């Protein structure tokens, strides 16, 4: 709240388009500005001034001067205006400067004070007419247009029951019972078509009526004090937003159709005249991390949000922008963040942010400094603000670089100099540079740091199986290895050769290659080791060593990370577990080398669980041997399970699935130990193809599982009618139930 001003300037604007409550909604230019000075202390009125804005003619300079004189004379004689002073201007910039000059001269001549503030009927004249047009034409607006009094809000303080949106000069004058000598007032509600331009004389009548209302409020019995000024933000303030912050749904809009190179400052310029909350402009990114032409904007109040919706399909350059309502939850998903590192990086105000994309994974701070240093033939400098603290590398949760970074610059000049290095070379890669925002920094960091390990899988197809633990519960020991970046032609023999002396520490059937959806190697592999100590030693010695493939000439360095059996089981089971529903996933995975599969975007999905076909009791009654087998799995040697305790059986509906397990014992590296003693299980496999090669196909289907060839038998069609099937004892049922044979999925039944 401020003290009472000395003068009020009652102002009214008219455009070449819509009027009333639609004023400024059609992007039409300002054509008339009428104002009158009110002496608040002495309660006297000044002269009525009318300023007409007409386009500049495209003739010679001499003809312009002659025509301007003719225009001024014709306005006074032909328009019939009742204003005391009528002037014309050829552009908006000239009109605003002329208004400020005349107003200053009139205030100085009055000599009763120096403080002046505008007063308008509602918000539209200042926020939706003058500021938007000035911003689109890059015109500097005089200081007096950044604060004003809303006559409707001042009137409502004495008439609380009035509807603010329905108020106008006509209603306020009737409520105050103004004397009969007040000029005839224009009633917007009586206008049949608000999209048609107003006659010039209505602007003068409106100003005279508003001046009379102001005098009535200043007089007894109201004795009103004009002290609550409306403010127009001069500059958009950048800032951060916490995910825990509450954002009102009635203050957020979604802007669509933005140019891809637009920044938060461009968005603030588009909504000039409306107050955007601090850090309230958030550019949206697509699944690839690129801008998708949308932004979420948060305003300080619902009133400003409603005014922003009236700018639907207004233009930013040559593009029209669509404006829709949005929710606070939508805004927090884009702009909210919890990273302290980002908060510290963005805590420096008045900094320009530039995003670097496509960096080498080995890029360092010194290389970034060298990249922005001036070249031999260039004298321009673009120093990074804050030294190393002014560079933020974006990384995955395990610490691996993503190739993105954000850099701070102290001023716009340095940032523009840096952007001129777009697509220059750093190392062996060209670097893309974009002007960025604080919200984009949050969004990029959120995208890479909060993505789940494996997306939630759909509901299981085998719903009749009871949810039981298939194997002993997993431990927390990191006794497994993850190999990433394998050559696509690498085989298990190549992996064992790469491990060298650590081959003797692999558990039987402990090599698991991860295949993609097409059944081809994905470049990942999991290995179960005999102890956590040997797993750590292997990762330290073999990390980023080169692996060669016997089936191809390509060689690649391989990343080796220790991991737990639980984390390995998540991948091998196709990601059937959700992080939010299993207590075992609450601990952090930073440093494990596990990351979301690169082909999955967006990072998480949700599916409605399918109801079970049969109840657990009915399934147990129908398939008693299966229930017995699941409840009594075969004994295993002391080891950590690689399947989660609450794992469910799935067909191949996920992006990755394991290959048959292998080990040195199955490849002839050294003699195989004695077979494990465990009862066998008889499995029937109906649905085999007629052109099957018989026992050979079945053995290939069960590769890596303990099923000797002599125990595999085929049932001929002469024994079971016109169907063919195969029965074989199987030692590892859960892994086989998801394995395809001869291009088909097998329907297994335990006998």
């Amino acid at each position: 709240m401020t003290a009472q001003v000395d003068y009020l300037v009652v102002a009214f604007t008219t455009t070449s388009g819509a009027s009333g409550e639609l004023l400024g909604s059609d992007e039409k230019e300002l054509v008339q500005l009428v104002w009158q000075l009110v002496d608040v202390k002495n309660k006297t009125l000044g002269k009525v001034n009318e300023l007409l804005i007409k386009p500049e003619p495209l003739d010679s300079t001499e003809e312009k001067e002659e025509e301007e004189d003719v225009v001024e004379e014709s306005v006074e004689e032909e328009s019939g205006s009742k204003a005391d002073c009528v002037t014309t201007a050829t552009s908006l910039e000239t009109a605003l400067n002329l208004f400020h000059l005349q107003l200053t001269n009139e205030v100085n001549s009055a000599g009763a004070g120096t403080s002046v503030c505008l007063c308008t009927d509602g918000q539209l004249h200042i926020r939706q007419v003058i500021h938007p047009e000035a911003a689109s034409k890059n015109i500097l607006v005089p200081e007096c247009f950044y604060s004003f009094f809303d006559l409707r809000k001042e009137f409502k303080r004495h008439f609380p029951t009035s509807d603010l949106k329905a108020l106008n000069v006509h209603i306020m004058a009737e409520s105050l019972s103004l004397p009969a000598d007040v000029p005839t007032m224009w009633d917007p509600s009586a206008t049949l078509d608000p999209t048609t331009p107003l006659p010039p004389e209505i602007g003068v009548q409106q100003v005279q009526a508003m001046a009379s209302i102001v005098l009535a409020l200043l007089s007894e019995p109201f004795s009103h004090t004009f002290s609550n000024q409306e403010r127009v933000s001069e500059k958009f303030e950048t800032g951060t937003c916490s995910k825990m912050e509450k954002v009102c749904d009635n203050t957020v809009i979604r802007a669509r159709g933005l140019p891809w190179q637009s920044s938060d400052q461009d968005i603030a310029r588009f909504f000039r005249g409306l107050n955007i909350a601090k850090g309230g402009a958030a550019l949206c990114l697509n699944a690839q991390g690129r801008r998708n032409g949308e932004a979420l904007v948060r305003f300080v109040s619902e009133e400003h949000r409603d005014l922003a919706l009236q700018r639907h399909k207004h233009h930013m350059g040559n593009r029209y922008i669509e404006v829709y309502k949005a929710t606070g939850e939508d805004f927090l998903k884009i702009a909210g963040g919890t990273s302290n590192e980002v908060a510290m990086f963005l805590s420096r105000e008045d900094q320009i942010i530039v995003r670097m994309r496509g960096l080498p994974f080995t890029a360092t701070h010194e290389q970034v400094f060298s990249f922005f240093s001036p070249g031999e033939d260039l004298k321009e400098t673009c120093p990074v603000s804050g030294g190393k603290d002014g560079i933020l590398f974006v990384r995955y949760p395990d610490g691996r670089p993503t190739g993105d970074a954000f850099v701070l610059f102290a001023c716009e000049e340095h940032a523009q100099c840096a952007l001129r290095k777009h697509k220059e070379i750093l190392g062996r890669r060209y670097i893309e540079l974009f002007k960025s925002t604080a919200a984009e920094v949050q969004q990029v960091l959120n995208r890479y740091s909060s993505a789940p390990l494996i997306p939630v899988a759909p509901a299981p197809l085998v719903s009749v199986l009871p949810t039981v633990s298939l194997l002993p519960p997993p431990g927390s020991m990191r006794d497994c290895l993850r190999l990433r970046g394998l050559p696509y032609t690498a085989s298990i023999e190549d992996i064992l050769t790469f491990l060298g002396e650590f081959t003797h520490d692999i558990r039987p059937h402990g090599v698991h290659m991860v295949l993609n959806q097409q059944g081809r190697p994905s470049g990942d592999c999991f290995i179960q080791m005999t102890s956590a100590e040997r797993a750590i030693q292997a990762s330290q010695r073999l990390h980023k060593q080169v692996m060669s493939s016997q089936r191809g000439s390509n060689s690649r360095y391989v990343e080796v990370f220790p991991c737990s059996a639980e984390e390995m089981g998540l991948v091998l089971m196709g990601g059937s577990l959700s992080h939010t529903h299993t207590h075992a996933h609450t601990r952090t995975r930073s440093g494990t080398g596990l990351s979301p599969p690169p082909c999955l975007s967006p990072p998480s999905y949700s599916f409605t669980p399918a109801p079970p076909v049969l109840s657990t009791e009915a399934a147990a009654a129908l398939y008693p041997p299966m229930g017995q087998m699941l409840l009594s799995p075969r004994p295993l040697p002391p080891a950590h399970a690689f399947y989660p305790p609450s794992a469910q059986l799935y067909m191949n509906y996920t992006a990755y699935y394991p290959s048959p397990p292998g080990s040195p014992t199955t490849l002839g590296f050294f003699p195989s130990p004695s077979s494990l003693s465990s009862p066998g299980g008889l499995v029937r496999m109906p649905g085999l193809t007629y052109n099957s090669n018989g026992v050979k196909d079945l053995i290939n289907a069960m590769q890596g599982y303990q099923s000797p060839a002599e125990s595999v038998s085929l049932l001929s069609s002469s024994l079971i009618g016109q169907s063919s099937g195969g029965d074989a004892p199987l030692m590892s049922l859960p892994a086989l139930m998801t394995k395809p044979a001869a291009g088909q999925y097998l329907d297994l039944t335990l006998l």
Side-chain angles (χ1 to χ4, degrees), residues 1-5 7-8 115-118 123 127 144 146-150 153-154 157 226-232:
M1 180 177 292
T2 58
Q4 176 110 318
V5 296
Y7 296 99
L8 288 177
S115 59
V116 182
C117 187
L118 296 177
Q123 306 272 321
R127 298 192 185 275
C144 60
Y146 285 96
S147 61
F148 66 98
F149 288 105
D150 186 347
K153 293 183 179 180
E154 301 297 326
R157 291 170 59 185
F226 287 86
S227 55
N228 297 322
Q229 297 182 8
E230 297 283 328
R231 299 287 182 180
V232 179

Side-chain angles (χ1 to χ4, degrees), residues 197-227:
L198 291 177
E201 61 272 9
I202 290 183
V204 177
Q205 296 174 4
Q206 288 290 105
V207 167
Q208 292 174 342
M210 290 167 61
S212 301
I213 294 173
V214 170
L215 290 179
L217 292 176
L218 292 173
S219 305
E220 296 291 340
F222 303 106
S223 300
H224 182 73
T225 301
F226 287 86
S227 55

